């Protein structure tokens, strides 16, 4: 996919005609990150939102005693940084590049300008916020109702639906996460998550690779994550 088709996936752009999308694209600034770079930290002032063009980022929060939780992994076409715009206040999470990444950013006052001139853009943004709330509710319910293997299976399916590439031997999911990061994403210890992954591998549902997993039995894995 070229840059234009990637940014067209973002809610800011999806309702615009080609001319308006090109003009919005031209008013955005490119940001490049190296793997491991923090774009911003939880608590910082927020003055712009971002769209991922290339690479992956993680959004994380940490507790007072240093434990980390991952809210989401973002890839091309996904937007973030809008909470501190619509609900003025500090950044609610730290954004860190999981791979080298390229983003586009738009200053808050420009976002407001676009939203005011193009009401359909606000509908797209509202739609995306609603989707996020729906997903967050689901994650919360899973933390209460599902066991760790169920949450790991669900996280793999979710990563697979966004980053997976179907090949002859299965769905290749290059998530680029360490096992520690996968554990932070499902809200469990690394040991418990490793055990669940090893169990899935022993059953022939997945093949484990460094920072990647190949889903061999999609049906069983998705059933376990339901
Ligand atoms: P902001 O608070 O400006 O900076 C951190 C960003 O992380 C936030 O805007 C949202 O875009 C994003 N974010 C916060 N919470 C979640 C969540 N639960 N799921 C996905 N993205 C989130």
């Amino acid at each position: 996919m070229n840059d234009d088709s990637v940014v067209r996936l973002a809610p800011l752009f999806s309702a615009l005609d080609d001319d308006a999308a090109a003009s919005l694209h031209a008013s955005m600034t490119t940001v490049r990150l190296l793997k491991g770079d923090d774009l911003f930290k939880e608590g910082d002032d927020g003055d712009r939102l971002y769209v991922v063009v290339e690479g992956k980022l993680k959004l994380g929060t940490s507790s007072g005693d240093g434990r980390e939780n991952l809210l989401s992994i973002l890839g091309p076409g996904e937007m973030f940084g809008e909470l501190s715009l619509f609900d003025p206040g500090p950044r609610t999470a730290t954004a860190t590049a999981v791979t080298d990444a390229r983003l586009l950013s738009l200053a808050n006052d420009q976002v407001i300008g676009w939203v005011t001139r193009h009401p359909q853009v606000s509908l797209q943004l509202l739609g995306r916020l609603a989707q996020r709330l729906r997903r967050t509710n689901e994650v919360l319910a899973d933390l209460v109702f599902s066991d760790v293997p169920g949450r790991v299976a669900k996280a793999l399916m979710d990563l697979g639906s966004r980053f997976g590439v179907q090949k002859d031997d299965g769905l290749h999911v290059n998530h680029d996460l360490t096992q520690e990061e996968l554990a932070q994403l499902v809200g469990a210890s690394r040991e418990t998550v490793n055990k669940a992954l090893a169990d899935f591998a022993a059953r022939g549902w997945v093949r484990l690779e460094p920072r990647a997993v190949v889903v061999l039995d999609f049906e069983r894995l998705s059933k376990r994550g339901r």
Side-chain angles (χ1 to χ4, degrees):
M1 260 201 283
N2 63 21
D3 282 12
D4 273 336
S5 27
V6 171
V7 293
R8 279 303 225 156
L9 298 172
L12 266 182
F13 287 87
S14 51
L16 298 177
D17 62 33
D18 286 349
D19 285 349
S23 146
L24 173 57
H25 196 162
S27 63
M28 296 179 85
T29 313
T30 297
V31 181
R32 286 172 199 280
L33 298 173
L34 294 176
K35 179 177 169 175
D37 284 351
D38 284 335
L39 176 64
F40 55 71
K41 284 193 188 300
E42 187 179 354
D44 285 355
D45 286 336
D47 61 350
R48 49 190 52 244
L49 64 71
Y50 298 89
V51 173
V52 183
V53 181
E54 210 179 354
K56 292 191 191 78
L57 277 92
K58 59 178 183 180
L59 296 171
T61 57
S62 51
S63 64
D65 60 6
R67 281 173 301 161
E68 309 242 347
N69 172 238
L70 289 186
L71 298 171
S72 191
I73 307 297
L74 303 179
E78 294 186 279
M79 174 197 76
F80 63 101
E82 77 297 332
L83 287 189
S84 50
L85 161 64
F86 295 121
D87 178 25
R91 294 287 192 199
T92 55
T94 298
T96 308
V98 172
T99 63
D100 291 354
R102 188 157 53 88
L103 319 170
L104 287 173
S105 85
L106 190 66
N108 284 356
D109 50 351
Q110 285 185 288
V111 181
I112 297 297
W114 276 90
V115 167
T116 316
R117 289 192 303 276
H118 302 268
Q120 69 277 31
V121 171
S122 13
L123 282 177
Q124 292 294 324
L125 289 174
L126 281 172
R128 208 48 72 95
L129 283 175
Q131 262 176 17
R132 196 169 280 169
L133 183 57
R134 198 187 276 272
R135 183 182 167 273
T136 304
N137 284 350
E138 220 177 284
V139 169
L140 196 62
D142 288 341
L143 277 175
V144 178
F145 300 125
S146 294
D147 58 2
V148 174
R151 302 205 305 262
V152 173
K154 201 160 190 177
L156 293 180
M157 302 305 297
D158 175 50
L159 292 166
S161 69
R162 292 183 306 125
F163 304 117
V165 177
Q166 189 66 49
K167 296 192 183 166
D168 286 348
D169 58 340
L171 182 71
H172 287 238
V173 188
N174 291 338
H175 51 64
D176 290 299
L177 302 175
T178 62
Q179 295 209 330
E180 183 67 48
E181 287 169 327
L182 260 183
Q184 292 167 356
L185 190 63
V186 298
S189 71
R190 194 163 64 86
E191 292 72 19
T192 331
V193 170
N194 281 353
K195 214 169 129 210
L197 286 170
D199 178 56
F200 295 164
R203 289 169 190 268
W205 298 356
V206 300
R207 191 171 72 234
L208 302 175
E209 294 182 352
R211 296 183 187 236
V213 60
V214 182
V215 179
L216 305 169
D217 193 333
F218 195 85
E219 213 180 306
R220 290 224 161 76
L221 189 69
S222 63
K223 221 171 185 174
R224 187 63 181 89
R226 217 173 276 150

